[in-house]
Amino acid sequence: MKLIAHLIRHPAIARIQLPVLMLITLLQRSPVFQFLSAAGEFFGKGPTGFVLKSSVATVAALGAMQTMAGATSYQLVTTSSTPVAAVMNQPISPIGFTVTNTINIGSWKIVGPIPAGLAFTAVEGGNTVSGSGGVLDATTPGVSSDDGYGDITVSGANYQTTPVLSGTPTAAGNFTIQLTAYEFGATTGLVSPTYSVVVNVTAPAPLVSVPTITANPVSVTVTSGGAATFTVTASDPNATIQWTKNGNNIAGATSSTLTLTNVQTTDSGSTYAAVATNSAGSVTSSTATLTVTPAPTKPAFTIQPTSITVPTGATASFNATVTGATSYQWQFNGANLAGATSARLVLDNVGSSNLGTYTLIATNSVGSTTSTAATLSAIATTSPGRLINLSVLTLAGAGANLLTVGFTTGGSGTAGQQALLIRGIGPALAAFGLSTPPQPDPTLKVISQSTSATVVSNDNWGSTVANSTAVTNADSATGAFPLSSLTSLDAATATTIAAGGYSVQISANGTAVGNVLAEVYDDTPANTYTLATPRLTNLSCLSSVSGSGTLVAGFTVGGSTSRTVLIRATGPALSALGVPGTLPDPQIVLNASSTVLASNAGWGGDPAIVAASNAVGAFAISSPTSKDSVLLITLPPGGYTATASSVSGATGTCLIEVYEVP
């Protein structure tokens, strides 16, 4: 064997015997064992060395298989499939390289680009190549060593190197690297073909988190038949969207915008939300509410003007309640009345020129609606419409809970005295099933507003035979409900008083507070009334209204014709008179039995109301924008109730008034 080796070393022989050299090379001990031996010496026993040695062992085994199979051509063998797949910022498994059908490889020429973060490392000695490449040379000299051709000492020769690609790529891309193996160091000796190795570095998949809602859908209000649009925005633009209505999925509603067409009032109040979903989970937006208002329609009359008959020379007021109107026009016998452009028409000093048919035309952007016709008649009569009963239902007690009700008797062209029935009913109210307990023991007295003198008083109506007899007779004559028990503690008196203003004060024996009905009845004997007979012209009551409570004034119109009345519920206007703690927003509703005839919540500075207030001597409401409420209406004979309450449920002092309008 030594002879062959020396022969090969001779230059002349080397130049003419290359095939022989290759054959001898293949006949020497397998390069696999030299490969593994060198790797073991280099890496030692650390964890990294174990991984690299595993890569080298795999390559060596592949090379050995080629050699043992008798292949005579060079072939690059790696421990990884090619192209090499890598992920940016994630370490790769080390990849070893060799060329089969060789004994030892002394150096490698590596031409980049080598992906940033990766490098070729020589198993023997640790030399590295990165970037654009370079030469990976053996680091173990051949002095006193076997270079693979036998026990021959070749001074200065490097006998083996094995490259391993490892590291963590820091940039994405496709990189093609050229590798060429050489028999000896410094890229000398036998040379393999140049091999291309492709390394594909991909960007890591983005981290996915549960989406968030960055813009929630907003509630919308639309008109019936229109379209409504809701929009949602999620933090993940790739998230899927599913809209829900009242918590249920809407088929096909999977975009960031939900558009509803031809919405109807039946959809009003529905809630809509969007569910955004990605691979990490789902999130639901806040809900948005759809409000659908009816499509505009022509004005509609909820209360039509009614025909009235008044005494000749009296005031007549036609009233109507209309929804959706923006303008009004009254007509008389089919022709427009100049200046009659509100929902109320007031005619003073009615005469023959005013008699006829009246209609109201209410208009808005959609069109106009004409009311039913109402006829105005006037007659001369000795029994005109007039107030024959005034009453107030509210709480009363002793001390600070004293109830005061004011009334006026008289009237223009009247003289003499008026017969009246005045009552303070407490215990008898129990028979009517009121929700608030009655005052158990009321007392009353009537005080002249001009002299402050007590005109008449009563504690228990049955305390004397004379009083109980007079009250019983007056109850029957006026139509007041009877007081059946002579021992009840209700207060009542039948009396005759001169024309003027009076206050009825109702207090209590004891400390209890309860409901009291204060009443004043016209007790003029039947068939004796004339135009000169004094009559009731005004009722007023100042009382506290609390929360959902009410202040109720009742009155009755008697006679043979209608009577125009002014009804006021004032709160803010009382502040100018020095009354503390007034009700900020009183409203008034007028009923005949259970039928609502008219209502008001804010008088609006109506000139007709100003004129009527001046005519009856009522104090002025100075602000046209105040929330005091007023009705001016002509009513046929019958019984009525006017109820004052707070629009907002506030508590405060309220004055309710009913006036006869001349």
Side-chain angles (χ1 to χ4, degrees):
M1 180 68 69
K2 290 184 178 180
L3 177 61
I4 294 172
H6 283 290
L7 183 62
I8 292 171
R9 286 183 57 210
H10 194 282
I13 298 299
R15 284 193 297 269
I16 63 174
Q17 297 292 336
L18 288 178
V20 176
L21 292 176
M22 293 179 65
L23 177 62
I24 294 173
T25 298
L26 294 173
L27 292 176
Q28 300 303 309
R29 58 181 173 154
S30 171
V32 173
F33 299 107
Q34 294 184 11
F35 199 23
L36 289 174
S37 175
E41 293 171 0
F42 177 74
F43 289 118
K45 298 180 180 180
T48 304
F50 176 79
V51 173
L52 293 178
K53 283 190 289 182
S54 298
S55 298
V56 172
T58 302
V59 174
L62 291 172
M65 289 176 63
Q66 290 288 344
T67 300
M68 288 185 292
T72 58
S73 62
Y74 293 117
Q75 181 177 353
L76 181 71
V77 180
T78 72
T79 59
S80 171
S81 61
T82 56
V84 175
V87 178
M88 190 175 71
N89 300 324
Q90 296 181 18
I92 66 170
S93 297
I95 304 170
F97 296 84
T98 190
V99 176
T100 58
N101 293 331
T102 65
I103 296 178
N104 294 321
I105 298 174
S107 59
W108 292 77
K109 181 180 180 181
I110 301 174
V111 178
I114 301 171
L118 300 183
F120 286 90
T121 302
V123 171
E124 303 80 12
N127 284 355
T128 62
V129 169
S130 60
S132 59
V135 175
L136 197 67
D137 214 345
T139 58
T140 305
V143 178
S144 302
S145 299
D146 187 348
D147 63 1
Y149 296 96
D151 296 330
I152 302 173
T153 298
V154 180
S155 178
N158 295 334
Y159 75 93
Q160 184 171 327
T161 185
T162 305
V164 174
L165 180 65
S166 62
T168 301
T170 59
N174 297 325
F175 305 87
T176 301
I177 306 170
Q178 309 292 332
L179 293 91
T180 309
Y182 291 85
E183 179 185 10
F184 298 122
T187 61
T188 59
L190 296 176
V191 59
S192 74
T194 296
Y195 302 99
S196 294
V197 175
V198 176
V199 179
N200 295 330
V201 181
T202 59
L207 295 177
V208 178
S209 58
V210 177
T212 59
I213 301 299
T214 57
N216 281 291
V218 178
S219 297
V220 296
T221 299
V222 296
T223 301
S224 178
T229 299
F230 298 98
T231 302
V232 71
T233 303
S235 58
D236 182 358
N238 297 317
T240 61
I241 301 296
Q242 175 61 63
W243 286 92
T244 64
K245 175 184 179 181
N246 298 329
N248 300 313
N249 288 350
I250 303 173
T254 56
S255 68
S256 60
T257 298
L258 172 67
T259 299
L260 308 173
T261 59
N262 193 29
V263 296
Q264 301 299 312
T265 54
T266 53
D267 297 315
S268 190
S270 298
T271 58
Y272 296 83
V275 180
T277 303
N278 63 13
S279 59
S282 299
V283 63
T284 302
S285 72
S286 61
T287 59
T289 301
L290 172 64
T291 301
V292 184
T293 59
T297 58
K298 294 191 299 182
F301 284 83
T302 56
I303 298 177
Q304 296 277 358
T306 57
S307 297
I308 53 179
T309 300
V310 297
T312 300
T315 299
S317 176
F318 287 106
N319 292 266
T321 302
V322 190
T323 60
T326 56
S327 64
Y328 303 92
Q329 177 61 61
W330 284 94
Q331 290 188 330
F332 174 51
N333 294 333
N336 288 348
L337 278 172
T341 55
S342 71
R344 178 187 294 110
L345 175 64
V346 178
L347 302 171
D348 298 321
N349 194 23
V350 171
S352 59
S353 63
N354 305 117
L355 306 183
T357 301
Y358 292 82
T359 53
L360 175 62
I361 300 174
T363 303
N364 64 14
S365 60
V366 178
S368 297
T369 303
T370 302
S371 73
T372 58
T375 301
L376 174 60
S377 302
I379 61 173
T381 178
T382 58
S383 182
R386 61 193 182 275
L387 297 174
I388 62 172
N389 164 239
L390 304 170
S391 63
V392 172
L393 176 66
T394 189
L395 294 174
N401 295 304
L402 175 71
L403 170 63
T404 300
V405 176
F407 70 92
T408 303
T409 178
S412 177
T414 65
Q417 294 186 323
Q418 182 177 10
L420 298 173
L421 169 65
I422 304 172
R423 308 199 306 179
I425 305 299
L429 294 178
F432 296 95
L434 300 180
S435 59
T436 302
Q439 168 57 243
D441 189 5
T443 67
L444 74 80
K445 60 182 176 179
V446 180
I447 300 172
S448 170
Q449 293 177 359
S450 61
T451 65
S452 299
T454 299
V455 176
V456 65
S457 65
N458 179 258
D459 185 0
N460 303 320
W461 80 282
S463 58
T464 68
V465 173
N467 190 74
S468 63
T469 300
V471 168
T472 299
N473 292 335
D475 288 345
S476 177
T478 61
F481 68 86
L483 299 176
S484 57
S485 173
L486 289 173
T487 61
S488 80
L489 301 182
D490 301 288
T493 183
T495 187
T496 300
I497 60 177
Y502 296 88
S503 296
V504 179
Q505 291 186 347
I506 300 180
S507 184
N509 292 309
T511 59
V513 175
N515 263 334
V516 168
L517 178 63
E519 300 175 289
V520 181
Y521 288 89
D522 183 347
D523 193 24
T524 301
N527 302 318
T528 64
Y529 181 83
T530 68
L531 295 178
T533 303
R535 62 187 183 273
L536 295 171
T537 60
N538 162 245
L539 168 75
S540 62
C541 179
L542 182 70
S543 181
S544 176
V545 176
S546 59
S548 59
T550 60
L551 177 59
V552 181
F555 61 95
T556 302
V557 176
S560 61
T561 65
S562 297
R563 169 57 67 179
T564 300
V565 293
L566 178 71
I567 307 170
R568 309 201 309 177
T570 53
L574 298 178
S575 298
L577 303 178
V579 178
T582 58
L583 194 66
D585 54 355
Q587 64 180 342
I588 193 162
V589 178
L590 178 66
N591 283 74
S593 186
S594 60
T595 301
V596 175
L597 301 181
S599 63
N600 181 252
W603 73 294
D606 188 337
I609 288 176
V610 173
S613 297
N614 291 335
V616 300
F619 69 89
I621 302 175
S622 58
S623 173
T625 60
S626 77
K627 294 185 179 180
D628 302 287
S629 298
V630 185
L631 293 174
L632 179 61
I633 187 169
T634 301
L635 299 171
Y640 304 92
T641 56
T643 303
S645 62
S646 170
V647 173
S648 64
T651 297
T653 300
C654 177
L655 176 66
I656 191 167
E657 303 169 285
V658 179
Y659 291 92
E660 171 196 282
V661 178

